[in-house]
């Protein structure tokens, strides 16, 4: 058993990319013999059963974020961990405040999951203005700020250039043997057993940022020249409007949106093309996962991540954000056989063991 306790402070274990990254790291640290606790503000446990048996889960049962931050400060005073890792802007802010309130000596590493200047572009809502202030005034008080891509690092520096020495780029831990094993599990849906009609696949939260409305419009164009089906795995606040758009575009017979899927990898291995239509990202896990499963890629060149992951378009088609025509054309090209092969060594930079070691270095030295 290694000395030192590492605490993950999270909004919840709901089914998102940032949460999956944290679960992967927590499990990796625990398997290496570290004492690991996952402290949750809200008790949403989508990924809870994926935690390694020795990982302690602590539910704060807070009615809102402010209360969660105050309860976390009390936790820090009681437990006195050696290091804290947190992600997502507002939670990062409360982790910084909690450490100050608790006068904790724990090393604090905050991970910014996406591109803040894109999120705060117009500062239209109270939430956007508050998150902007969190990055501007609180992030510099952390010991290390982790950016999951060089694009996110560049973006953070636009808000806090003085924090440049604290910002480190560490890619997400995505590729491991578990992913490969899960990708081999059977798929019973008939669309994946009928190879005559290709399946277009996309995965992500059903929110505006992910651009699924653009994908649906592009798929409607694809259908005019190519017989195909579309599967979107994920759940979120945009479901009703997306379902309405499916009906408006007369796509009900060819679109399947089953909700959140714990094992998207088995679909990635069998799909004809994986599409990421996002308007913004940090470092999209689903894109790397699909590559690792051998699925051809079409992605928007959104800020940020896809260009780095696809090496400027060498390993997949990159199209402009919100360009329905270009997205449809790239999907058709890929379905017609324009595949871009990915050499195995390219995926090594996203390997869980390698990334976990990088995080341990910034957390514990």
């Amino acid at each position: 058993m290694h000395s030192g306790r590492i605490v993950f402070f999270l909004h919840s274990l709901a089914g998102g990319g940032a949460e999956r990254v944290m679960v992967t790291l927590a499990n990796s640290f625990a398997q290496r013999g570290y004492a690991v606790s996952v402290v949750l503000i809200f008790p949403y446990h989508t990924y809870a059963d994926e935690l390694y048996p020795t990982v302690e889960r602590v539910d704060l049962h807070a009615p809102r974020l402010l209360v969660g931050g105050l309860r976390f400060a009390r936790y820090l005073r009681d437990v006195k961990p050696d290091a804290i890792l947190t992600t997502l802007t507002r939670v990062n802010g409360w982790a910084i405040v909690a450490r100050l309130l608790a006068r904790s000596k724990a090393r604090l590493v905050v991970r910014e999951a996406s591109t803040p200047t894109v999120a705060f572009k117009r500062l239209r809502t109270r939430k956007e203005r508050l998150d902007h202030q969190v990055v501007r005034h609180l992030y510099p008080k952390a010991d290390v700020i982790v950016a999951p891509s060089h694009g996110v690092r560049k973006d953070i520096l636009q808000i806090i250039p003085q924090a440049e020495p604290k910002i480190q780029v560490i890619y997400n831990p995505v590729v491991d043997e578990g992913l490969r094993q899960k990708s081999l599990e059977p798929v019973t849906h008939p669309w994946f057993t009928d190879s005559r009609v290709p399946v277009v696949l996309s995965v992500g939260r059903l929110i505006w940022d992910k651009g699924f409305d653009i994908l649906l419009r592009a798929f409607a164009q694809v259908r005019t020249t190519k017989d195909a089906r579309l599967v979107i795995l994920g759940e979120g606040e945009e479901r009703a409007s997306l379902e309405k758009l499916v009906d408006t575009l007369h796509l009900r017979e060819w679109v399947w949106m089953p909700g959140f899927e714990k094992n998207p990898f088995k679909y990635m291995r069998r799909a004809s093309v994986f599409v990421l239509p996002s308007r913004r990202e940090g470092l999209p896990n689903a894109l790397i996962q699909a590559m690792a499963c051998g699925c051809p890629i079409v992605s928007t060149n959104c800020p940020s991540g896809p260009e780095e992951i696809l090496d400027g378009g060498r390993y997949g088609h990159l199209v402009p954000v919100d360009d329905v025509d270009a997205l449809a054309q790239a999907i058709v090209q890929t379905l017609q056989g324009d595949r871009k092969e990915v050499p195995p060594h390219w995926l090594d930079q996203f390997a869980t063991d390698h990334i976990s070691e990088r995080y341990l270095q910034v957390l514990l030295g």
Side-chain angles (χ1 to χ4, degrees), residues 115 147-154 169-171 281-283 304-305 308:
T115 46
S149 69
H150 292 278
V152 171
R153 179 182 185 275
K154 182 179 178 181
V169 175
I170 306 179
Y171 285 155
E281 289 282 355
L283 190 82
S304 67
E308 290 178 47

Side-chain angles (χ1 to χ4, degrees), residues 32-342:
R32 290 166 183 245
Y34 290 92
V36 177
S37 298
V38 173
V39 180
L40 307 176
I41 298 173
F42 303 113
Y44 304 130
H45 299 144
T46 306
Y47 288 137
D49 61 356
E50 296 185 22
L51 287 172
Y52 193 70
T54 61
V55 175
E56 178 192 36
R57 192 184 82 215
V58 178
D59 287 307
L60 297 179
H61 294 288
R64 58 188 187 277
L65 278 172
L66 184 151
V67 177
L70 296 177
R71 290 181 182 177
F72 186 56
R74 188 187 311 146
Y75 173 89
L76 293 179
R77 284 194 293 269
D78 293 342
V79 176
K80 297 179 174 58
D82 297 275
I84 306 162
L85 178 60
T86 182
T87 191
L88 300 179
T89 308
R90 195 79 59 86
V91 180
N92 291 342
W94 276 112
I96 294 165
V97 170
R99 185 177 68 156
L100 289 170
L101 291 174
R103 298 182 180 178
S104 169
K105 296 180 180 179
R107 186 167 171 82
L108 175 58
V109 177
V110 301
R111 173 185 175 272
E112 177 52 57
S114 192
T115 46
T117 67
V118 179
F120 314 148
K121 197 167 188 178
R122 298 194 181 106
L123 298 177
R124 290 172 301 182
T125 67
R126 181 177 175 274
K127 179 184 182 301
E128 288 174 354
R129 292 191 293 272
L130 182 58
D131 284 351
H132 183 271
Q133 294 305 311
V134 168
V135 175
R136 185 177 177 186
H137 297 294
L138 292 179
Y139 273 28
K141 299 181 186 301
D143 293 299
V144 178
I145 303 164
V146 170
S149 69
H150 292 278
V152 171
R153 179 182 185 275
K154 182 179 178 181
D155 199 80
I156 296 171
L157 284 171
Q158 292 184 47
I159 302 176
I160 44 172
Q162 74 275 19
E164 182 174 13
K166 293 187 173 186
I167 304 175
Q168 294 199 30
V169 175
I170 306 179
Y171 285 155
N172 293 342
V174 177
V175 182
D176 57 21
E177 182 59 25
L179 183 151
R180 195 187 77 84
Q181 291 297 329
K182 288 178 181 177
S183 76
L184 297 174
E185 291 180 6
V187 175
T188 57
H189 194 279
W191 287 4
F192 291 88
T193 58
D194 179 7
S195 58
R196 293 170 299 175
V197 181
V199 176
V200 179
L201 175 68
S202 195
V203 178
R205 279 184 175 157
L206 305 185
I207 57 176
W208 183 87
D209 295 5
K210 299 298 183 181
F212 292 123
D213 55 319
I214 299 298
L215 174 56
L216 287 170
R217 295 183 190 281
F219 181 69
Q221 286 193 22
V222 171
R223 285 280 314 165
T224 64
T225 59
K226 187 84 175 172
D227 190 17
R229 291 157 172 160
L230 173 63
V231 175
I232 300 175
L233 303 178
E235 196 52 79
E237 63 198 41
E238 292 285 313
R239 171 171 284 279
S241 62
L242 291 172
E243 295 275 11
K244 185 177 179 180
L245 184 57
V246 169
D247 290 331
T248 301
L249 295 170
H250 307 291
L251 293 175
R252 180 61 58 189
E253 187 178 344
W254 300 285
V255 174
W256 181 46
M257 297 171 57
F260 175 76
E261 168 58 56
K262 274 189 155 182
N263 180 10
F265 317 127
K266 60 185 180 182
Y267 297 95
M268 292 172 175
R269 179 169 289 278
R270 292 163 177 84
S272 305
V273 57
F274 179 87
V275 182
L276 185 99
S278 297
R279 294 179 168 102
R280 75 178 183 103
E281 289 282 355
L283 190 82
N285 293 337
L287 199 60
I288 303 166
Q289 292 159 350
M291 289 172 67
C293 292
C295 193
I297 301 295
V298 172
S299 174
T300 56
N301 193 11
C302 67
S304 67
E307 188 172 25
E308 290 178 47
I309 294 168
L310 300 176
D311 196 19
R314 180 179 296 180
Y315 302 129
H317 292 275
L318 283 171
V319 303
V321 173
D322 283 340
D323 192 327
V324 173
D325 295 342
L327 189 62
Q329 184 179 356
I331 293 170
V332 170
Q333 280 182 248
T334 306
L335 293 178
Q336 290 175 341
D338 186 4
R339 301 169 56 108
K340 301 192 177 187
E341 299 298 327
V342 182

